[in-house]
Structures are given as C-alpha cells and as structure tokens.
Amino acid sequence: MQFFYNLQLVNKDFTGFISRQVILVQNGLIKWIGPEKDIPLAKNNSKIKKINLKNQKVLPSFIECHTHSIFAGSRAEEFELRNTGTSYLEIAARGGGILSTVTKTRAMNETEMLKISQMRINEFVRQGVSTVEIKSGYGLDTKTEIKMLTVARKLKGPRIVTTFLGAHAKPHEFESFERYLEDIIKNTLPHLKKKKLSNRVDIFIEKNFFEKDIGKKYLKKFQEQGFDITIHANQLSQSGGAELAIELKAKSADHVIQLSDDTIKKFGTSKVVTVLLPAADLYMKCDYPPARKLIDAGATVALATDFNPGTSPTQDLMLVGLLARLKMGMTLSEVFKAYTINAACALGIECEEGSLEVGKKANFICTEFDLTDFFYSAGHVPKHRLFIGGKEIKI
Ligand code: NIG
Ligand code: FE
C-alpha cells in the first residue's frame, strides 16, 4: 500500500486545486482520496509507504486515444508535394500516401518494428501519457496486420489499447473494396480473436476509400463478434461515417470536420465521443472541426495527435491542445477533459482511468506548474513526474 500526501489535487473541472489532499493506493488502484484530516488510517501504520509530494499539484495523466504509432519509413517527401499543391487524394490515387507506408511496413521485421515503436511510445510517456491507443492499418494483409498488433502488445510502459484498422485503404492485390473487406472477415478476423490482439475495429470512411454502405456491413460483422467500433469519419467530405458511428453506437467518431448542423445535434444526444485531431488538420491545411458547436450541443469531445507519417507526423500533445484553444474555441478546462476523462470514454475505459477517483488506476502527474502552463507552448510540457498505477515511471 502507498500513501501520497501533502498534495494539491486538481478539481473535476480543471479550474483549480484543493490543497492538503492525500491518495491511498493499493495494487495500483486508488483506494481512498480526500482531505488529509479525514485519512481512514492510523497515522503510525508502518506497512504503508508514505510519499510526500511536497505540496505539488496533482492531475490525472493524459490518455492519447488515436494514434497510428507503428509504421515504417517517413513521408517527408510527400509533405513537400502536398505543400506545393498536390492533394492528399491525388497522392493516394497515384499509389502514394497510405500505400507507400504499407510497402515499407510489410518489409520491416518485428524486431526493428518493436524498437522504433518503443521509442515513439517513450516519447508519449515523456509527455505524461499513461495510455496510448495504437491502430494497425499499414499492413493491409493478415500477416503484417498481425505483426503490427503483436508488436503493439509487446510495448512497455503505458497501457496500450490496440485497434484493428485493416480497412484503412484497399491494397493493390484486391480489385474491389468489397472483396478486400470480405477477405478480412474470412481470413484476418479469426486470428484477431484467437490471438486476442484487439477488440476494437476502425475503418476509414471517405471518398476514394471505403463507402458508408459496405463499411456498415463490415462493421456489423465485427460487432457481432464483440468488437467495439470507431470510425475515421467526415475528415475530407460528408462521407456518412459520422452518421454511421451514431447509428451503430460506436465508441467514437474521429476527425469529424465536415458535419451538418443536424449531425452535430445528434452527437449532442448520443454517447459517441467525437475525437478531434487538429494537428492533422494543421498538416492537411483543412478546416478544423466544429468543437465549439459540438460541446455546446452536449457532445463529448476528446483530443488526440493522430500521430502517423502522412497527415500528422507529430506526437506533440501540447500542440494539439494549443490548436484546440487557438483554432477551435476550446477552453483550457475543456482541453484537459478532452485529454483525460473524455479520451478514456472514447476508448471505453472510463471506469478504470481518466480521472482520480476511488476504484480507478492511480495514474497521475505531479508538477509545480499551474494549469495555464499546459497546452500553451508547442513542444513543451511543463516539468512533471508521471505515476502509473502508483509507480513512478522514469524515461
Ligand atoms: O487519421 N485518414 C486516415 N488515416 C490517417 C492518415 C494515415 C496516413 O496518411 O498514413 C489519419 O489521418
Ligand atoms: Fe487517424
């Protein structure tokens, strides 16, 4: 048992701190949390390890709920093309984009993949992240998709939530999108289940990628097998992905830039989390999602980096939050919620993580800095210590 004392605990709204609080941790979980004067223990209990946090501020650690952290190579040369006028869809149509990363990812062996992926995960941990979601989707064949998810399972440090994104693009070997999805159901899905590599499925519903109707059929098959759904939806056009996410009761609809007012209203009354990815919008030079309208309608909004070599080659959480504040009208308090409890909701782990409450994991950061020092300076996370399950993580 551990006992953290002499700390200032952030309030639920991330607007201030309550001083002289303590957190009692047992087996990595919060057993008790509250004012020092109400400690439910004998002060001289010697079985308890007491840790003085020296009046530092304590907040829940961050949850990074949408990444493509496992990939080979880079797409730096493609960025120059895009920045000088060639569109993402044109590059993809020429066989570049996602498919060029697929070629390199298929060729990379598991050892090398594990090595570079661990370095990327460490970079998230350095920023105070205790849970990282990782999608497959750069294999587009059973062997490589499984290789990616197997590597994800071997990563050390934070909790890793894996998502199967076989439906990221159509590989060259298949003539039609439908045939490719049927092949996944027949040949890849059984391996995912048997090896317990993931219980979440994602699809890129977009013009020139997967259409809503075939996507629906595909997602329902996974749902029947107990998978949670998330969708890359309405990023470049009103593709119908956002509406499909609501219809199928997905955990989240991600990107959601191109939304009608009617769909925004529907998110307001649904449990589907909208995961907004402004770093990708910056790199894509496209519109930012209507965060203000979504929040005002009552929708749950999360934020993430969308780290990937194409549309978002950055792991910078502070940049993401900064863009949300500068470009999407989100308040600092909304950004903190978006990166903690709402991100946990997007991953369906809100009963275990995302806030500091009894029964949840003792995942937190402690710092001398104030809330306003976060999501302020791109590339700079205020100095802090990270605890996962009550244990300090040193990178
Ligand atoms: O979230 N939109 C689809 N997938 C990624 C991009 C992947 C890539 O370009 O490599 C995204 O933006
Ligand atoms: Fe993505």
Side-chain angles (χ1 to χ4, degrees):
M1 231 193 293
Q2 293 147 289
F3 182 72
F4 296 89
Y5 69 103
N6 193 10
L7 59 95
Q8 299 185 54
L9 186 67
V10 73
N11 65 19
K12 278 213 164 65
D13 278 334
F14 293 93
T15 50
F17 291 89
I18 318 159
S19 52
R20 305 210 71 81
Q21 299 293 295
V22 301
I23 305 176
L24 186 60
V25 179
Q26 190 172 33
N27 300 326
L29 302 180
I30 300 174
K31 183 132 167 64
W32 194 84
I33 185 163
E36 257 172 41
K37 61 176 178 37
D38 299 340
I39 302 169
L41 286 170
K43 283 230 168 78
N44 51 4
N45 189 330
S46 60
K47 287 201 185 113
I48 296 175
K49 190 174 165 204
K50 297 187 184 68
I51 301 145
N52 184 350
L53 289 185
K54 299 183 183 139
N55 202 33
Q56 291 209 343
K57 299 180 173 77
V58 167
L59 22 150
S61 50
F62 300 122
I63 296 178
E64 175 52 50
C65 69
H66 180 140
T67 86
H68 306 252
S69 296
I70 300 181
F71 59 85
S74 114
R75 303 235 294 278
E77 71 301 341
E78 172 188 315
F79 176 73
E80 177 62 7
L81 274 180
R82 270 200 289 120
N83 203 33
T84 47
T86 319
S87 79
Y88 184 74
L89 292 179
E90 267 177 83
I91 292 169
R94 290 185 200 164
I98 294 174
L99 290 183
S100 68
T101 302
V102 168
T103 306
K104 293 176 195 150
T105 307
R106 285 181 179 177
M108 182 175 267
N109 69 44
E110 208 179 299
T111 312
E112 184 62 17
M113 190 177 274
L114 183 59
K115 200 170 122 203
I116 56 165
S117 307
Q118 185 63 61
M119 273 161 27
R120 293 169 186 157
I121 291 312
N122 293 351
E123 172 52 28
F124 280 125
V125 171
R126 195 190 61 73
Q127 297 178 73
V129 172
S130 53
T131 295
V132 182
E133 186 261 13
I134 301 180
K135 299 170 194 300
S136 65
Y138 290 120
L140 311 186
D141 60 19
T142 305
K143 190 174 144 222
T144 317
E145 289 291 310
I146 286 178
K147 178 170 73 183
M148 292 180 74
L149 293 170
T150 306
V151 164
R153 284 269 184 259
K154 289 185 181 164
L155 293 165
K156 302 246 174 348
R159 175 178 183 173
I160 303 288
V161 174
T162 54
T163 306
F164 173 64
L165 178 57
H168 198 188
K170 180 181 74 59
H172 292 307
E173 305 85 87
F174 288 85
E175 289 274 293
S176 85
F177 286 86
E178 258 161 314
R179 272 289 305 119
Y180 173 51
L181 295 189
E182 281 163 19
D183 185 80
I184 293 179
I185 302 285
K186 190 160 165 261
N187 296 315
T188 313
L189 176 55
H191 288 284
L192 299 176
K193 286 216 71 170
K194 201 167 136 217
K195 298 192 159 125
K196 293 195 170 53
L197 289 171
S198 179
N199 62 355
R200 291 167 44 87
V201 64
D202 193 350
I203 183 168
F204 186 21
I205 301 219
E206 191 54 66
K207 210 163 59 191
N208 295 355
F209 289 85
F210 298 90
E211 278 171 12
K212 179 186 174 180
D213 291 345
I214 63 164
K216 180 172 170 179
K217 215 169 117 193
Y218 171 79
L219 291 173
K220 281 183 120 175
K221 286 263 176 9
F222 275 82
Q223 210 166 34
E224 281 162 20
Q225 302 282 327
F227 278 64
D228 284 336
I229 294 172
T230 170
I231 300 180
H232 275 75
N234 298 42
Q235 179 182 11
L236 309 170
S237 64
Q238 289 200 13
S239 60
E243 293 72 16
L244 184 61
I246 295 170
E247 184 186 335
L248 295 181
K249 299 193 168 50
K251 284 284 168 215
S252 73
D254 300 28
H255 286 288
V256 290
I257 297 164
Q258 305 299 334
L259 295 178
S260 68
D261 284 343
D262 186 49
T263 303
I264 292 175
K265 219 163 111 192
K266 285 192 182 129
F267 274 120
T269 53
S270 98
K271 284 197 174 144
V272 182
V273 178
T274 52
V275 177
L276 312 184
L277 309 161
D281 310 331
L282 174 71
Y283 275 101
M284 294 289 275
K285 298 205 264 189
C286 65
D287 293 340
Y288 288 89
R292 195 67 265 145
K293 280 189 177 175
L294 283 163
I295 295 171
D296 292 343
T300 306
V301 166
L303 288 165
T305 60
D306 192 18
F307 173 47
N308 75 76
T311 62
S312 190
T314 177
Q315 296 187 245
D316 187 350
L317 271 76
M318 294 301 119
L319 172 67
V320 170
L322 182 60
L323 289 170
R325 298 174 78 186
L326 283 172
K327 301 284 188 183
M328 290 151 54
M330 286 175 70
T331 65
L332 180 59
S333 148
E334 287 163 351
V335 170
F336 271 109
K337 280 186 207 158
Y339 247 125
T340 54
I341 188 65
N342 293 358
C345 290
L347 299 178
I349 55 173
E350 69 275 20
C351 296
E352 302 163 58
E353 308 179 19
S355 58
L356 296 171
E357 289 172 88
V358 172
K360 289 197 181 186
K361 293 190 180 161
N363 293 354
F364 57 85
I365 58 177
C366 78
T367 180
E368 276 166 19
F369 287 86
D370 217 325
L371 294 169
T372 48
D373 294 309
F374 286 79
F375 306 109
Y376 160 64
S377 174
H380 175 73
V381 188
K383 196 163 181 290
H384 62 274
R385 290 160 77 190
L386 170 66
F387 293 85
I388 299 182
K391 286 202 185 76
E392 184 162 8
I393 307 290
K394 292 213 164 113
I395 290 285

